[in-house]
Amino acid sequence: MRPISVYVHVPFCTYKCGYCDFNAYAGLESLIPAYRDALVAEIGGYAEVLAGREIATVGFGGGTPSEMPPEGIAAVLDALRAAAPIAGGAEITLEANPGTLTGEHLAGLRSAGVTRLSLGAQSFDAGELRFLDRIHSPEATASALRLARGAGFESVNLDLMYGLPGQTLAAWEASLRAAIALEPDHLSCYCLTVEEGTPLARRVRAGTVATPDGDLAADTYDRAGELLADAGFAQYELSNWARPGHESRHNRVYWTWGEYLGIGAGAHGFVGGERSENIAHPRAYIEAAMRGMRGSAVLAAYTPDAAMMIDDYVSSCLRVTEGFALDAFAREFGGRLEAMAPRWLADCEAAGWLERADGRLRLTLRGRQLHSEVVVRLMGALGAV
Ligand code: SF4
């Protein structure tokens, strides 16, 4: 059976952090029961798409999926199982806020079928957490990880953020060392970006918060790689490191051009070469999804043109450290990348950003910080073809 993955978006948060531009809402918790029913109805509408397929992985993201009680998560997984078998040993991953977890909640998630937990630690510096408007303390993250182990989670990720205004290399190292000391299985390190329209962007514009230092962020990224390698974590994606056997199989689907259904408010999907995006606001989403027909909650769907597809493929597949096989690219697109964008390839190789080895194309260590630049240049090259 052809595998497919499922992303489920849960858009509720206790508090809307000042830097966040995700599809996330505070103060709408009363909608959670209706939202759970809408997720189940939306899945029902995809019965035909899921028929004859096997669900390889499921990812609950947000927002804060742990705002939904374990019974809600179980109801969603039951609806998926009713539509298609979930593969034995499938990764079912859920993002959680360390500030809201109890042992009982975690045990409930584990018995609902969740296999992997991703904790939004962000930092182990109390001042940085306050700056980010996070509701948890460093101690709460440590406690959540202990509770997760007690509940039987054998794969736990910690999310960390670097590139914060005023963050020193020493402060970042201290946070990272504190994270490593907790012995997670996986670490995701993301650079803070100041997104337009957020309270943080307004503060930066008003001059009350310093503009993040890009050069320091680059040094911080390099230091993260060194410290994590020393601690036994292997980098397998631009922002992700794992102990052997703990790479996220669900996230790999996004980075390797796999198919996934997007369920929930604002969720994105990629099935049959078509990209789709659901209605973003939870109230409007609930109303649309409850119609229970295929695509009733979809706001927009489109099939990217050839140049966009190629750019999308290369952009996604270059995120993983092993890159992609040039023969696989040729099979997918009916032509060789080397012939479609020879100048781009030569220039990026000469600059030391890309390298070819064993028939694969991948970013060099140096190129990992220049992924966006490499992709933008490819788009330009393809536009000129
Ligand atoms: S908890 Fe995460 S999703 Fe929710 S507002 Fe904060 S950053 Fe955004």
Side-chain angles (χ1 to χ4, degrees):
M1 276 188 282
R2 275 191 309 141
I4 188 167
S5 288
V6 181
Y7 171 72
V8 183
H9 191 79
V10 181
F12 308 104
C13 289
T14 308
Y15 188 83
K16 179 84 180 184
C17 306
Y19 64 92
C20 175
D21 79 333
F22 299 142
N23 190 39
Y25 306 81
L28 293 184
E29 293 77 8
S30 61
L31 294 179
I32 290 176
Y35 190 80
R36 173 205 57 211
D37 293 347
L39 292 174
V40 169
E42 190 187 4
I43 291 166
Y46 283 113
E48 265 180 41
V49 175
L50 291 168
R53 304 197 68 166
E54 184 178 60
I55 298 173
T57 63
V58 182
F60 288 88
T64 310
S66 55
E67 290 284 298
M68 181 171 275
E71 303 75 46
I73 300 297
V76 171
L77 291 172
D78 285 346
L80 287 172
R81 281 188 204 98
I86 297 181
E91 178 182 298
I92 300 179
T93 187
L94 181 135
E95 293 172 5
N97 188 326
T100 60
L101 295 172
T102 63
E104 194 186 350
H105 188 136
L106 287 162
L109 290 173
R110 189 69 195 88
S111 49
V114 177
T115 63
R116 179 179 183 271
L117 202 66
S118 180
L119 295 171
Q122 314 310 353
S123 171
F124 284 85
D125 179 303
E128 288 180 1
L129 288 172
R130 274 195 300 280
F131 169 79
L132 291 169
D133 294 328
R134 303 296 303 200
I135 59 167
H136 66 277
S137 62
E139 295 74 26
T141 301
S143 159
L145 202 144
R146 269 194 303 277
L147 291 172
R149 295 297 193 205
F153 282 97
E154 289 175 1
S155 212
V156 180
N157 168 59
L158 295 180
D159 275 352
L160 290 179
M161 293 186 86
Y162 65 94
L164 276 53
Q167 184 185 51
T168 62
L169 199 52
W172 162 249
E173 277 196 33
S175 252
L176 190 54
R177 287 186 194 282
I180 292 168
L182 294 176
E183 301 185 348
D185 308 290
H186 187 286
L187 274 153
S188 300
C189 302
Y190 297 109
C191 187
L192 175 73
T193 47
V194 179
E195 302 289 355
E196 268 317 308
T198 59
L200 176 61
R202 288 193 283 280
R203 290 172 69 191
V204 169
R205 235 189 341 266
T208 56
V209 166
T211 306
D213 179 339
D215 290 340
L216 182 59
D219 292 345
T220 308
Y221 181 82
D222 287 341
R223 190 71 189 115
E226 292 162 7
L227 285 178
L228 287 165
D230 288 350
F233 291 85
Q235 184 173 17
Y236 70 102
E237 195 266 349
L238 294 179
S239 308
N240 288 280
W241 286 259
R243 294 193 192 283
H246 288 278
E247 295 87 0
S248 170
R249 280 179 274 148
H250 180 75
N251 288 345
R252 251 190 193 281
V253 171
Y254 305 136
W255 302 321
T256 54
W257 202 242
E259 287 192 308
Y260 58 94
L261 206 53
I263 301 292
H268 291 243
F270 179 50
V271 178
E274 184 181 88
R275 296 210 170 269
S276 64
E277 179 184 350
N278 275 357
I279 295 164
H281 196 279
R283 273 203 191 86
Y285 164 78
I286 290 169
E287 199 183 318
M290 286 308 287
R291 291 203 286 276
M293 290 172 312
R294 178 178 175 179
S296 59
V298 170
L299 174 70
Y302 67 98
T303 302
D305 66 25
M308 278 169 77
M309 285 272 235
I310 291 168
D311 199 63
D312 213 6
Y313 182 97
V314 173
S315 170
S316 305
C317 298
L318 280 182
R319 293 193 66 91
V320 286
T321 48
E322 74 268 22
F324 61 93
L326 287 160
D327 284 351
F329 176 95
R331 279 194 299 278
E332 188 75 40
F333 296 104
R336 298 202 69 84
L337 182 61
E338 301 93 310
M340 291 180 194
R343 188 68 193 269
W344 166 81
L345 192 53
D347 287 352
C348 289
E349 284 181 321
W353 301 345
L354 285 177
E355 64 189 3
R356 274 180 275 186
D358 304 325
R360 302 183 75 86
L361 183 68
R362 64 182 183 214
L363 288 168
T364 61
L365 203 56
R366 180 151 172 257
R368 286 180 199 168
Q369 297 220 26
L370 294 156
H371 172 264
S372 308
E373 177 69 24
V374 169
V375 171
V376 165
R377 289 187 182 207
L378 175 62
M379 199 63 191
L382 293 172
V385 169

